[in-house]
Amino acid sequence: MVGRIGVALLWPLALAFLFIGFNKNDPYLISLRGTGNMLLAAIGAAVAIVLIFRGHWQRRAGKVLVLLWCLAPLSILAAHLRFEMRKQDVLHTEASTAHRLGRHFVVGYSSFDEVAKLAESGLIAGIYVTRHNLKGGNAEALRSEIAALQARRVAANLPPLIVAADQEGGIVSHLAPVLTELPALSTLTDLPIDLRDRMAEEYGRIHGRELAMLGVNLNFAPVLDLKPAGKLTRFDLNTLIGRRAISGDPTKVAGVALPYIRGLGLSGVGATVKHFPGLGRVRGDTHHFSADLETPLDELEASDWRPFRQALAGSRAMLMVGHVRLAAVDPDRAASHSKKVIDGIIRGKWNHQGVIITDDLVMGAIYQHDVCTAVVEALNAGVDLLLVAFDGAQFYRIFSCASEAARQSRLDPAMLDASDARLGRPSLRQAKRMANRAE
């Protein structure tokens, strides 16, 4: 009886192993890559051998079960080969195409050697660094690594890399405790205005000074979403905007954000205001699911969007656009790749000509749908930078989407030219200065 139950359990397990094998490159399975995949392949082969030795190959159902377990390691190998073929295709992109498209990508990474190839070939515009890049909490190692990457850009006669981090303060401080752990900016909102302004600027100074010492030149902060009155959904596992937002009062949000941005800039670190069109009223977590913002536009303009407009008018901060669907404008696609939102509202109605970056394209609201369509639509809408942060290995797939669209003339040359103008072309002298400062 025990043996029969054990064999019966092997059927769903075999299907689970097959599913994992065919989807080994999915971001949700990132923890299984490398050693995990090798272990799964070894288990699959071992189970198949045991089944054969126990005589299951002699029965028709047994043959099927053995074959399923044999397919598990083969599926992992096939997925790995597909990934490597796509990776090599990207790495061998013709130089002019690499430079033309690469200036629109900011990527997270784990391997220095791998990201160095992308940096010196012009396939990326920047990198995103976070806790796992500190390698045991060694700030000096990360500083040297960033300096080495910038030096390679100089040698390749390419603009300096954007080096971005997520150091908001509070629960999102991805380079702390190596950097100073500061409370959330929301702790400043009830201070007297003069003190609040000084403290917010000092927060920015501290973040800016410490990030610049590492070689980081762009911070994905501050958060300008309005704080919700209560938790909107029990399934919000990652966004947690109620704990990250500055305030539910648009005036207070702008009042804290602007001096903070000013403080960052004193050390040469740029700010990124996020996550337009706002997450404070959204009931879904775009890290995993699609989500809609159904508030009327006049209400958003009068409240949620005021801090964004004030911060953009009063600074040179980038604007990060999130993956919620703005129902009143474009209910069919996320704001991050909606031409009606990017070109219609931000560029058109607001006349904002600063740099726009997407939230992470590896988030479920985009990646688990048609990520290729999102990439092409974002570039054609007037987005300047595409962020691939959580799982940098997805860059190869995402870049392939853009490259294929370019081959098929599906990218709007006028939009790319306008984006190039917004991004600018820093001189070689600037690149050398940034590399020297990071050393």
Side-chain angles (χ1 to χ4, degrees), residues 61-341:
K63 283 185 172 68
V64 175
L65 184 59
V66 170
L67 287 172
L68 284 175
W69 279 100
C70 288
L71 283 172
L74 290 176
S75 66
I76 292 173
L77 177 61
H80 180 70
L81 289 175
R82 286 197 305 273
F83 173 82
E84 286 298 324
M85 289 173 63
R86 178 182 284 153
K87 176 179 175 180
Q88 292 306 314
D89 282 345
V90 170
L91 291 175
H92 290 90
T93 300
E94 193 269 328
S96 62
T97 301
H99 294 174
R100 177 71 159 156
L101 298 179
R103 65 189 62 168
H104 299 288
F105 291 93
V106 176
V107 302
Y109 71 96
S110 297
S111 165
F112 173 82
D113 291 338
E114 189 168 346
V115 81
K117 291 178 184 177
L118 301 178
E120 63 192 3
S121 59
L123 284 162
I124 58 174
I127 57 172
Y128 167 76
V129 295
T130 188
R131 191 167 287 117
H132 71 258
N133 297 109
L134 286 167
K135 296 180 177 63
N138 190 336
E140 183 57 41
L142 179 57
R143 178 164 47 244
S144 298
E145 194 167 271
I146 292 171
L149 290 172
Q150 296 289 21
R152 293 197 185 202
R153 295 285 282 196
V154 171
N157 198 27
L158 289 168
L161 289 170
I162 297 167
V163 183
D166 222 344
Q167 196 74 359
E168 298 173 9
I171 63 170
V172 177
S173 299
H174 291 167
L175 293 178
V178 171
L179 303 189
T180 302
E181 292 190 76
L182 293 176
L185 287 171
S186 59
T187 59
L188 307 179
T189 55
D190 292 329
L191 297 175
I193 292 177
D194 288 348
L195 178 58
R196 181 196 70 189
D197 290 352
R198 289 198 303 274
M199 289 293 293
E201 184 171 316
E202 181 60 20
Y203 271 38
R205 285 175 183 269
I206 294 169
H207 277 163
R209 182 172 61 248
E210 294 184 347
L211 289 169
M213 285 177 62
L214 288 177
V216 174
N217 50 45
L218 179 66
N219 193 17
F220 290 152
V223 170
L224 299 190
D225 312 271
L226 296 189
K227 185 187 289 289
K231 189 172 182 180
L232 297 178
T233 172
R234 70 182 66 182
F235 299 112
D236 182 4
L237 304 175
N238 295 93
T239 302
L240 302 172
I241 208 65
R243 297 172 61 188
R244 297 164 61 195
I246 294 172
S247 173
D249 181 342
T251 302
K252 290 184 177 181
V253 173
V256 171
L258 278 166
Y260 174 80
I261 292 169
R262 188 164 59 247
L264 272 180
L266 291 172
S267 297
V269 176
T272 310
V273 295
K274 60 185 185 183
H275 313 77
F276 183 83
L279 299 175
R281 302 175 189 260
V282 176
R283 293 187 171 275
D285 183 347
T286 54
H287 288 84
H288 306 288
F289 312 107
S290 298
D292 296 299
L293 178 57
E294 299 176 337
T295 308
L297 291 185
D298 56 353
E299 188 173 345
L300 291 171
E301 285 279 11
S303 58
D304 302 55
W305 293 355
R306 280 174 50 204
F308 287 100
R309 298 194 70 169
Q310 288 179 253
L312 294 175
S315 74
R316 299 183 65 183
M318 287 191 190
L319 174 65
M320 178 179 284
V321 182
H323 302 317
V324 299
R325 291 184 294 240
L326 187 55
V329 176
D330 193 346
D332 299 322
R333 54 184 54 78
S336 55
H337 58 102
S338 169
K339 191 176 182 71
K340 293 178 181 178
V341 174

Side-chain angles (χ1 to χ4, degrees), residues 100-101 103-104 339 343 347 353 376 378-384 409-423:
R100 177 71 159 156
L101 298 179
R103 65 189 62 168
H104 299 288
K339 191 176 182 71
D343 195 44
R347 303 289 189 209
Q353 299 306 317
V376 174
L379 291 172
N380 287 340
V383 169
D384 303 297
S409 300
R410 290 188 289 117
L411 292 179
D412 185 340
M415 282 297 188
L416 293 181
D417 289 344
S419 182
D420 289 346
R422 286 189 293 269
L423 290 169

Side-chain angles (χ1 to χ4, degrees), residues 396-413:
Y396 300 106
R397 177 186 177 190
I398 290 172
F399 186 91
S400 294
C401 296
S403 182
E404 182 63 22
R407 280 194 293 270
Q408 297 175 359
S409 300
R410 290 188 289 117
L411 292 179
D412 185 340

